[in-house]
């Protein structure tokens, strides 16, 4: 499965299970592929949020590898970070479909 197809599946599945999703996509420029962000390079592909739970996910093909910059983000993010691959589809689905029970970690919105 291509990374593009995998991304589409994850975004669609997350949305169906009530997650808010942001995907950072690179664009082709005269200087090659670029993602318009300010700060450290290598930030992960997706940020997902639902009921006070946040997941920061890098999507890779089964053979894909993290870049050194992505490894630094992975270390910095700790338990918030995940790398999802097509071979992990059942586990990813279980994570996205898990109970939608609300969590109130920061006191909620006033």
């Amino acid at each position: 499965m291509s990374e593009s197809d995998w991304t589409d599946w994850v975004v669609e599945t997350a949305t169906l299970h009530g997650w808010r999703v942001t995907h950072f996509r690179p664009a082709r420029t005269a200087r090659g592929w670029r993602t318009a962000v300010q700060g450290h390079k290598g930030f992960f592909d997706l940020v997902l949020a639902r009921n006070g739970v946040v997941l920061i996910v890098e999507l890779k093909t089964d053979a894909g590898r993290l870049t050194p910059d992505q490894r630094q983000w992975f270390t910095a993010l700790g338990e918030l970070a995940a790398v999802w691959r097509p071979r992990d589809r059942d586990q990813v689905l279980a994570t996205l479909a898990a109970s939608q029970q609300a969590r109130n970690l920061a006191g909620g919105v006033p």
Side-chain angles (χ1 to χ4, degrees):
M1 176 180 282
S2 72
E3 189 168 320
S4 177
D5 289 341
W6 178 228
T7 300
D8 290 345
W9 184 87
V10 171
V11 169
E12 290 172 17
T13 302
T15 301
L16 287 172
H17 288 283
W19 292 87
R20 302 280 299 174
V21 181
T22 296
H23 177 222
F24 299 96
R25 296 185 310 172
R28 183 171 285 202
T29 70
R31 294 183 180 175
W33 290 97
R34 301 283 189 260
T35 303
V37 294
Q38 184 174 356
H40 293 90
K41 291 174 26 178
F43 192 74
F44 286 12
D45 293 318
L46 301 177
V47 177
L48 300 96
R50 184 182 70 190
N51 299 327
V53 176
V54 175
L55 304 172
I56 302 172
V57 178
E58 177 61 26
L59 300 173
K60 293 290 186 192
T61 64
D62 286 331
R65 295 182 175 200
L66 292 176
T67 67
D69 291 321
Q70 289 170 332
R71 287 189 181 284
Q72 289 181 335
W73 272 111
F74 192 83
T75 299
L77 291 166
E79 292 182 9
L80 290 175
V83 178
W84 289 352
R85 302 172 187 280
R87 67 177 174 237
D88 305 321
R89 187 180 187 133
D90 290 343
Q91 183 179 359
V92 170
L93 179 58
T95 298
L96 295 173
S99 173
Q100 295 184 28
Q101 185 175 7
R103 289 180 45 188
N104 188 358
L105 300 176
V109 178

